[in-house]
Amino acid sequence: SQQGEEDPQALSIQEGENATMNCSYKTSINNLQWYRQNSGRGLVHLILIRSNEREKHSGRLRVTLDTSKKSSSLLITASRAADTASYFCATGLSGGSNYKLTFGKGTLLTVNP
Amino acid sequence: DTGVSQDPRHKITKRGQNVTFRCDPISEHNRLYWYRQTLGQGPEFLTYFQNEAQLEKSRLLSDRFSAERPKGSFSTLEIQRTEQGDSAMYLCASSPGLAGGRQYFGPGTRLTVT
């Protein structure tokens, strides 16, 4: 079953604009991760934020985490055509099963040149 | 830097046939995971190995599915008597010992059952 839900399901923007994707989840987590998937390929890890962190940056990426609302957001600044991909949030759960990831359905981002 | 590799990348098979996929993790990673991804969905966890021990299997993994990781190195995922509903991308990932940390994914094996 899917733990997270990304919003929106699809997002289309122009190159240079910022893209914001949101993720909501249901249970207590150890960490939340964002992955990117280009069409028909494997997943590439983007960033991991732990449950005791509120914000994290990596290059053009900014991730926030609100554990009280069980939600996270991924901001990609100054988007490029190469950012076109599906983006998934994945949660690492607290407790005994904290080795596996539970993914949302993803947001399909299209960046138009 | 050698990443996670999977073989084959694509497999087309007829319903009822058996198929086997292979995953070679990053060599120093002791944890290996299999996920399945259908069109328009996120990956769903199937099973997990720590070294050679299979520690959890999802209820998605019916008795037609079996996974092994002999000697804690590469892993195989076999599907017996394939059904059209088995058509999906099968993703393998590996990670070092830190629980709940980043996972490194292979390119996936796309299975089409006709």
Side-chain angles (χ1 to χ4, degrees), chain A residues 59-77:
Chain A
R60 294 185 296 114
L61 306 180
R62 172 179 169 251
V63 170
T64 62
L65 179 64
D66 187 336
T67 53
S68 67
K69 295 181 179 178
K70 292 187 169 56
S71 67
S72 173
S73 67
L74 171 67
L75 168 67
I76 304 174
T77 60

Side-chain angles (χ1 to χ4, degrees), chain A residues 1-2 30-31 33 35 37 40-43 45 48 50 88 92 97-101 103-106, chain B residues 31 33 35 37 40-45 48 56 59 89 91 98-103 105-107 110:
Chain A
S1 62
Q2 310 278 182
N30 177 278
N31 64 74
Q33 305 176 36
Y35 287 80
Q37 185 177 39
R41 299 187 181 180
L43 281 80
H45 180 266
L48 179 154
R50 302 202 180 281
F88 295 91
S97 298
N98 62 357
Y99 44 82
K100 65 182 179 184
L101 297 177
F103 286 83
K105 293 184 178 181
Chain B
R31 297 177 181 222
Y33 317 81
Y35 293 85
Q37 184 180 24
Q41 302 293 315
E44 293 182 291
F45 172 81
Y48 154 71
E56 184 173 338
R59 60 180 179 274
M89 174 80 88
L91 294 163
L98 183 63
R102 170 187 177 177
Q103 294 182 13
F105 282 81
R110 182 168 295 283

